[in-house]
Every structure is written in structure tokens, then in C-alpha cells.
Amino acid sequence: AQSVTQPDIHITVSEGASLELRCNYSYGATPYLFWYVQSPGQGLQLLLKYFSGDTLVQGIKGFEAEFKRSQSSFNLRKPSVHWSDAAEYFCAVGPRDFNKFYFGSGTKLNVKP
Amino acid sequence: NAGVTQTPKFQVLKTGQSMTLQCAQDMNHNSMYWYRQDPGMGLRLIYYSASEGTTDKGEVPNGYNVSRLNKREFSLRLESAAPSQTSVYFCASRGLAGDEQYFGPGTRLTVT
């Protein structure tokens, strides 16, 4: 069965510190992979996506993610967190035909001044 | 270009009442989706429509019906609302294969 696991429900980091949010997936074939961000009361905004090719992908707002096939992981990173990054982050996987997506349960990021 | 729009933004229903959530996109996308978001559970797919004229069940379809009215519009209907359907509902659309989903702002539904 397909599933996405985000093991960290809440993370708190200090402004300026580095960030890594974990995502592991279980999927029969190589999926498409996504990270979305959701600010309170808002919809989801795409940060980045991986389809093929270079396993390190760059996204908006200074985020990057690395696809590791051997670990079935797609972790999100940012070298220096800003207060405006406080939000909830969702990892998602989808099949190549894109008809069903699976989302992780989300990680809420709190940024300390 | 409004993207994906949803109406209403907020709704309170009593148990047993019915209502329809509306979704429209102006990006000429083929596929449209309805999700519900509950605390600690991420987004769960209710129904999707891969193209105009087709609809399919997702993970949690029970208690819901959908209509793909035309290419732009995809509605979600609750025939007899239950407190378990209290949630935030998101509509999304996608264009060609290889594109990501674009999300609407959500509808916050409370069933008392």
C-alpha cells in the first residue's frame, strides 16, 4: 500500500539555524515527489518537486530536497531559516499517471526569534 | 487569472442537512480533486476527476458525491451531513502529466 510518513509532527528551530524535514514513502514504483507549504488559514503552495534526473532539487524560498531511492526518502532542507518560514509542511507522492496523490500528515515548523 | 476558487469559505451545518461545495478553475486543467484535511492526518483524497465526464473514488469517498459539471467546475455534495464530516475541504486541479496540483483556499465546514 502506498503511504507517506513524516515522522516529526512539530519542529522548533531558531531563526538563522538550518532545517531538515524528513519524508519517507512507500510506493511500488518510482513516484513523483512534492513538498508543499501551508500557512495558517491558507491553501497549499508548492515548494518543489522531483520527477526525474538530478536527485537534488531546488525550490522556492531557498528550499531544496534530495531524493534518495535506496532510503525511499525525500527530505526537505534549508540552510538558514527565516521567521516567515513558520508554517506546516507536507510531503506528497503521486503515481506517474498522477490520478491519486498521497500526503504525509504534515510537520509544523515553529521559528524562535 | 484567479486559479482555483472555492465557495463558500465557511459553513456550519446541522446533522442531516445537505450542501454542495463549489470549485472552479480557470487554468484549463483536465484533472480536478477534492481533499479533506483533518488535524494530524494530512490531506486525504475524497474524489477526483481525471477529465471532463469522469469521476473516481479516492481514499475516503463515503458520505460524499461529486459532479464534474464541465471542464472548469467540480462540485462536492454532502447529502446528509454528519459530525465526522467536520473538516477543511480543499479543491485542487492539475494540467498535463508532469504538473503539480494547484490548490484552492479551502472551505471550513462544521457539522453540529
Side-chain angles (χ1 to χ4, degrees):
Chain A
Q2 297 86 353
S3 66
V4 180
T5 302
Q6 292 180 247
D8 304 304
I9 299 173
H10 288 100
I11 283 185
T12 297
V13 299
S14 297
E15 192 168 15
S18 64
L19 172 71
E20 182 169 27
L21 302 182
R22 296 181 290 166
C23 172
N24 293 94
Y25 66 89
S26 171
Y27 208 81
T30 302
Y32 292 138
L33 298 158
F34 308 85
W35 275 100
Y36 284 88
V37 61
Q38 184 182 33
S39 297
Q42 304 294 315
L44 278 70
Q45 180 186 19
L46 181 74
L47 283 176
L48 48 77
K49 59 188 178 185
Y50 171 78
F51 288 164
S52 65
D54 192 347
T55 56
L56 184 64
V57 294
Q58 303 296 322
I60 62 171
K61 306 184 181 188
F63 285 92
E64 66 179 26
E66 186 171 13
F67 169 54
K68 292 186 177 180
R69 186 189 307 272
S70 61
Q71 299 176 19
S72 296
S73 69
F74 188 56
N75 293 348
L76 182 71
R77 300 193 294 248
K78 186 169 185 179
S80 177
V81 169
H82 188 262
W83 64 266
S84 60
D85 294 324
E88 190 159 20
Y89 292 80
F90 292 94
C91 180
V93 302
R96 295 274 156 169
D97 68 359
F98 258 50
N99 280 333
K100 285 186 179 181
F101 288 80
Y102 298 89
F103 283 79
S105 54
T107 298
K108 283 190 179 170
L109 174 65
N110 182 42
V111 180
K112 290 192 302 186
Chain B
N1 191 343
V4 180
T5 57
Q6 293 182 236
T7 55
K9 286 188 173 13
F10 301 93
Q11 184 71 49
V12 179
L13 291 178
K14 292 188 183 336
T15 297
Q17 288 184 318
S18 62
M19 79 160 296
T20 300
L21 281 64
Q22 306 286 353
C23 174
Q25 51 91 9
D26 60 3
M27 296 174 282
N28 201 35
H29 284 172
N30 290 318
S31 301
M32 298 185 74
Y33 306 81
W34 276 106
Y35 291 91
R36 59 178 289 172
Q37 183 180 29
D38 303 291
M41 302 190 74
L43 276 75
R44 292 180 293 168
L45 183 63
I46 304 172
Y47 271 93
Y48 67 95
S49 171
S51 61
E52 186 178 354
T54 68
T55 60
D56 283 288
K57 295 178 181 179
E59 283 180 82
V60 288
N62 291 344
Y64 305 96
N65 286 301
V66 290
S67 295
R68 183 74 183 266
L69 304 168
N70 49 55
K71 192 170 187 180
R72 289 187 64 246
E73 298 172 291
F74 188 39
S75 63
L76 178 72
R77 183 159 177 84
L78 287 69
E79 291 291 351
S80 179
S84 61
Q85 294 178 305
T86 293
S87 188
V88 181
Y89 291 85
F90 287 99
C91 178
S93 71
R94 176 184 68 82
L96 300 174
D99 282 348
E100 68 273 18
Q101 292 180 319
Y102 293 80
F103 284 84
T107 295
R108 186 173 294 275
L109 175 67
T110 302
V111 183
T112 61

